[in-house]
């Protein structure tokens, strides 16, 4: 196939969109890693096509087109990390502008915002993005960006994407850019552009690449005016993903649908197991009808990521012991890989967030976040079982 064109299934696009063999001189079926950062020009007075690596690169281009297609978006841009993608977005703002941001979000996003606004003279207000009234009240005449994450990390709160887009776009002559971090569910389970947001942001480092061997980020959007601004920022400041990382991420996308299905199933299996445990105080999983946004999750997304967050009976000592007793779940600072990971959020991803703020959003020393991987669910449960037994012996 040289063009995914009329074939619109997600799985089909993950494999074919942007991968057309006839864009390559050797008609490669697998997109090659093009390392040349400059390209011969027949007409020295008029540069054509790819001409310098900072502006574009064929391997990167292939990934960007695949990502855009997967979100049913027009444009994709890839960056050397998720944080670099957020930084690129912040370059749309200028001194005196105002950001409304979700309070509950990835710790790195919060600290990046706080750092950037101080240097640039930008204002920010943090709100509970599950509460439309708080968002409405926070918007000011100089608000230029609304940024949120759904579901949030690690407490899996869902914000209503369509309602937020509608509310925010009804203010300030529709000039506020609404951006959502879609790292947790990926475009396989949730496509925010279809609910009216302007920009979808990813840490591709997580599920999208899915193999914990690439650091990368992306922005996907429909609006060509915003895209052109972002493209200029990207080429000027040089925040681009390398051909090798682009190749690996593109390769990861080919199996994303299969991986997400398994993450979703395994996550549910682990969550139901944890519910039966006497030394578990609380389990957070959006598939539970008791989850406060269970209905919203079903309405705006079509499956669950592999994150299961729970509170263990005790404090830091018990959490630490439990994590150290696990064998398959590896203690580390990431999520979304084929392998299962475990983290004490208060001590890793949210260590920079003040304790009162952390606890107000539900992250305690006893909060353990599992990123359930693709292993056999039975083995994962066996691992948790032996860790509970050892910890509470
Ligand atoms: C990891 C992560 C980021 C930051 O991405 P990097 O690739 O680490 O820069 C942003 N948002 C979420 C939800 C994340 O999990």
């Amino acid at each position: 196939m040289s063009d995914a064109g009329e074939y619109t299934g997600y799985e089909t696009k993950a494999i074919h969109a942007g991968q057309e063999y006839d864009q390559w001189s050797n008609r490669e079926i697998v997109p090659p890693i093009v390392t040349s950062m400059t390209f011969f020009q027949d007409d020295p007075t008029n540069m054509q096509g790819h001409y310098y690596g900072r502006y574009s690169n064929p391997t990167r281009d292939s990934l960007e087109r695949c990502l855009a297609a997967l979100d049913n978006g027009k444009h994709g841009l890839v960056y050397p990390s998720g944080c670099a993608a957020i930084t690129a977005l912040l370059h749309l703002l200028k001194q005196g502008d105002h950001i409304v941001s979700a309070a509950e979000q990835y710790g790195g996003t919060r600290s990046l915002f706080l750092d950037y606004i101080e240097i640039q003279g930008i204002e920010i207000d943090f709100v509970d993005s599950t509460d439309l009234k708080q968002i409405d009240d926070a918007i000011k005449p100089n608000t230029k960006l609304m940024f949120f994450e759904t579901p949030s990390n690690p407490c899996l709160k869902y914000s209503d994407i369509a309602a937020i887009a509608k509310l925010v776009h009804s203010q300030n002559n529709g000039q506020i850019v609404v951006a959502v971090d879609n790292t947790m569910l990926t475009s396989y389970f949730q496509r925010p552009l279809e609910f009216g947001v302007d920009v979808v942001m990813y840490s591709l480092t997580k599920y999208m690449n899915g193999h914990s061997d690439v650091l990368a980020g992306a922005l996907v959007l429909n609006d060509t005016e915003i895209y052109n601004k972002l493209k200029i920022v990207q080429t000027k400041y040089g925040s681009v993903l390398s051909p090798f990382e682009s190749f690996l991420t593109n390769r990861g996308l080919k199996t994303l649908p299969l991986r997400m299905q398994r993450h979703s199933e395994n996550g549910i299996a682990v969550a139901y197991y944890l519910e039966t445990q006497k030394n578990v105080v609380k389990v957070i999983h959006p598939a539970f009808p008791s989850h406060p946004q269970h209905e919203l999750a079903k309405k705006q997304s079509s499956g669950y990521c592999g994150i299961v967050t729970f509170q263990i009976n005790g404090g830091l000592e018990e959490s630490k012991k439990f994590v150290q007793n696990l064998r398959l779940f590896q203690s580390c600072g990431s999520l979304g890989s084929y392998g299962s990971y475990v983290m004490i959020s208060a001590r890793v991803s949210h260590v920079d967030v003040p304790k009162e703020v952390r606890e107000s959003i539900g992250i305690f020393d006893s909060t353990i976040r599992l990123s359930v991987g693709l292993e056999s669910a039975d083995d994962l449960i066996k691992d948790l079982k032996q860790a509970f037994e050892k910890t509470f012996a």
Side-chain angles (χ1 to χ4, degrees):
M1 184 181 344
S2 70
D3 180 6
E6 79 226 57
Y7 299 98
T8 54
Y10 189 97
E11 288 82 352
T12 312
K13 291 189 291 186
I15 291 170
H16 292 286
Q19 320 291 301
E20 308 82 7
Y21 62 78
D22 50 11
Q23 67 188 300
W24 314 108
S25 54
N26 289 313
R27 299 163 71 79
E28 282 93 336
I29 298 290
V30 178
I33 307 171
V34 178
T35 55
S36 183
M37 285 298 139
T38 188
F39 302 86
F40 189 81
Q41 300 292 318
D42 285 316
D43 179 353
T45 65
N46 182 21
M47 305 293 248
Q48 292 286 320
H50 298 288
Y51 61 93
Y52 185 62
R54 188 154 31 77
Y55 295 83
S56 69
N57 167 277
T59 312
R60 194 167 88 223
D61 197 64
S62 178
L63 168 64
E64 289 179 337
R65 287 192 290 129
C66 190
L67 286 169
L70 292 180
D71 253 299
N72 286 330
K74 280 208 190 78
H75 311 287
L77 290 155
V78 290
Y79 298 90
S81 68
C83 286
I86 299 169
T87 305
L89 192 60
L90 291 177
H91 277 108
L92 295 175
L93 307 184
K94 59 178 191 330
Q95 189 176 9
D97 286 348
H98 174 245
I99 303 170
V100 178
S101 167
E104 190 174 330
Q105 62 186 354
Y106 180 70
T109 306
R110 186 186 176 93
S111 80
L112 160 58
F113 278 168
L114 291 174
D115 200 59
Y116 190 87
I117 60 156
E118 191 172 322
I119 297 167
Q120 302 295 329
I122 291 168
E123 298 177 274
I124 195 162
D125 276 304
F126 292 100
V127 298
D128 175 354
S129 59
T130 64
D131 181 354
L132 289 175
K133 180 158 185 320
Q134 279 196 32
I135 297 173
D136 197 22
D137 290 347
I139 294 172
K140 303 201 281 192
N142 56 338
T143 305
K144 293 289 161 57
L145 175 68
M146 164 75 207
F147 191 95
F148 66 107
E149 181 177 313
T150 180
S152 65
N153 173 23
C155 294
L156 302 169
K157 285 194 196 124
Y158 281 65
S159 298
D160 189 329
I161 305 172
I164 292 175
K166 190 165 167 233
L167 166 72
V168 177
H169 284 147
S170 72
Q171 312 268 352
N172 296 7
N173 295 320
Q175 293 303 301
I176 306 172
V177 173
V178 181
V180 56
D181 182 336
N182 200 35
T183 299
M184 302 292 254
L185 286 179
T186 79
S187 51
Y188 182 61
F189 282 146
Q190 177 170 277
R191 285 179 292 281
L193 292 179
E194 294 172 1
F195 296 107
V197 310
D198 302 298
V199 182
V200 183
M201 177 259 146
Y202 292 100
S203 168
L204 301 174
T205 315
K206 315 295 167 52
Y207 289 106
M208 297 288 265
N209 174 61
H211 293 72
S212 274
D213 52 8
V214 165
L215 191 67
L219 298 177
V220 180
L221 65 164
N222 278 318
D223 189 307
T224 302
E225 205 180 307
I226 303 175
Y227 169 75
N228 288 338
K229 284 186 194 160
L230 290 168
K231 184 76 187 169
I232 290 169
V233 166
Q234 184 177 50
T235 47
K236 274 204 177 130
Y237 297 115
S239 184
V240 296
L241 192 64
S242 81
F244 184 58
E245 265 79 20
S246 297
F247 166 80
L248 282 177
T249 307
N250 192 11
R251 187 185 202 253
L253 289 180
K254 306 294 165 270
T255 55
L256 178 69
L258 291 168
R259 288 187 286 106
M260 291 312 288
Q261 284 167 28
R262 177 58 76 90
H263 283 298
S264 189
E265 288 164 16
N266 279 0
I268 292 170
V270 164
Y272 275 100
Y273 164 75
L274 289 171
E275 276 269 279
T276 66
Q277 292 310 295
K278 66 174 186 302
N279 285 308
V280 170
V281 175
K282 184 180 177 188
V283 185
I284 303 175
H285 198 285
F288 292 160
S290 60
H291 184 284
Q293 292 101 25
H294 173 67
E295 291 304 322
L296 175 62
K298 282 201 295 189
K299 191 181 87 181
Q300 71 184 17
S301 52
S302 54
Y304 306 103
C305 64
I307 303 298
V308 181
T309 301
F310 71 100
Q311 251 174 275
I312 201 162
N313 183 11
L316 194 59
E317 200 187 317
E318 286 75 13
S319 327
K320 189 176 165 188
K321 260 203 208 146
F322 179 79
V323 170
Q324 288 180 327
N325 284 328
L326 286 164
R327 292 288 164 266
L328 291 179
F329 284 89
Q330 315 217 46
S331 164
C332 63
S334 193
L335 61 92
S337 173
Y338 56 84
S340 291
Y341 297 164
V342 58
M343 171 196 285
I344 303 173
S345 298
R347 291 291 153 146
V348 187
S349 62
H350 289 69
V351 69
D352 293 336
V353 181
K355 193 171 160 61
E356 322 80 70
V357 179
R358 211 160 64 204
E359 297 198 337
S360 75
I361 56 184
I363 304 169
F364 304 94
D365 286 348
S366 55
T367 303
I368 296 178
R369 185 192 79 186
L370 302 176
S371 172
V372 180
L374 310 176
E375 298 93 337
S376 316
D378 287 349
D379 284 337
L380 294 175
I381 290 169
K382 201 161 139 188
D383 190 32
L384 293 164
K385 186 166 183 281
Q386 64 80 27
F388 279 120
E389 282 165 7
K390 275 201 194 122
T391 307
F392 296 98

